[in-house]
Amino acid sequence: MKHKKFFQALFVSFTTLSLIIPQTTHAEAKVGDVFGDWIYECRALAENKTACSLSQTIMSKSQNKRLVKFTLGRNEKTKAVNLTALLPLGIHLPSGVNFSIDQGKTYQFTLKTCFQLGCVATYPVDTSFMQALQNGQKLHINFRGEGADAPIKISGSLKGLAEGVKLQTKLD
């Protein structure tokens, strides 16, 4: 029985990696490549070390300000793949932040920290969640502003994410 659970966990891990790290026959994504509504970005962590991800920024049409930035990438410390949301300052922290793919199941982000650019919330990505992201059309996020009566709802597009993940060779 223990061996069965071990091999199931191992299978899930390898399946997740195969979805994120493509076969060597695929072309490699380059910084600035656009996949539908997602863009491939990398940032320097140290000399000869970068962290790369797919991201999408949702802007306010009236004020031309960032409302939410979604990022799909690997955490450089834990090596886990996360969906991260950079939210505006002024959210009501006790209410939390949740999201859904299309009109499906509601997921809860974990609020990590807030700093001058906004508040960071993450959700761990496993194989089934990655498939849901790749097969979905919209990513809907909900949170409350401090002192607001109604939740704030913002939708992002999942268009191009599946293609970006296929070409993504370094979510590290």
Side-chain angles (χ1 to χ4, degrees):
M1 192 65 158
K2 289 181 183 179
H3 294 294
K4 185 177 178 182
K5 287 183 180 181
F6 170 76
F7 286 111
Q8 285 175 333
L10 191 62
F11 175 76
V12 168
S13 297
F14 281 117
T15 304
T16 301
L17 286 173
S18 70
L19 289 171
I20 296 167
I21 301 173
Q23 303 299 318
T24 56
T25 58
H26 292 283
E28 186 174 323
K30 294 182 284 310
V31 173
D33 281 354
V34 175
F35 303 98
D37 294 322
W38 294 77
I39 188 167
Y40 182 72
E41 300 178 323
C42 294
R43 62 184 170 90
L45 299 174
E47 190 172 329
N48 297 323
K49 185 165 175 69
T50 59
C52 298
S53 60
L54 293 165
S55 70
Q56 177 181 167
T57 302
I58 310 300
M59 302 292 287
S60 161
K61 290 181 174 93
S62 62
Q63 298 176 340
N64 198 31
K65 289 185 178 180
R66 176 188 43 81
L67 297 173
V68 176
K69 180 176 183 178
F70 295 111
T71 304
L72 180 66
R74 188 174 304 280
N75 180 302
E76 59 267 10
K77 292 180 184 170
T78 66
K79 303 302 180 201
V81 176
N82 290 308
L83 175 65
T84 302
L86 178 60
L87 304 159
L89 291 174
I91 65 173
H92 185 252
L93 297 176
S95 297
V97 179
N98 64 56
F99 68 100
S100 63
I101 298 169
D102 298 327
Q103 301 305 316
K105 175 182 172 182
T106 298
Y107 301 90
Q108 189 71 35
F109 271 115
T110 300
L111 282 161
K112 295 291 190 176
T113 189
C114 294
F115 57 100
Q116 191 173 2
L117 292 176
C119 295
V120 177
T122 63
Y123 186 81
V125 174
D126 62 15
T127 304
S128 62
F129 183 73
M130 179 64 81
Q131 289 174 341
L133 282 172
Q134 291 177 314
N135 294 327
Q137 300 296 310
K138 293 283 186 183
L139 187 61
H140 307 283
I141 189 167
N142 301 292
F143 55 91
R144 287 192 181 275
E146 188 63 45
D149 293 331
I152 297 167
K153 298 178 183 184
I154 300 171
S155 295
S157 168
L158 293 171
K159 179 183 171 188
L161 185 65
E163 179 188 3
V165 168
K166 286 178 188 171
L167 291 179
Q168 173 73 33
T169 58
K170 39 190 277 194
L171 284 176
D172 54 8

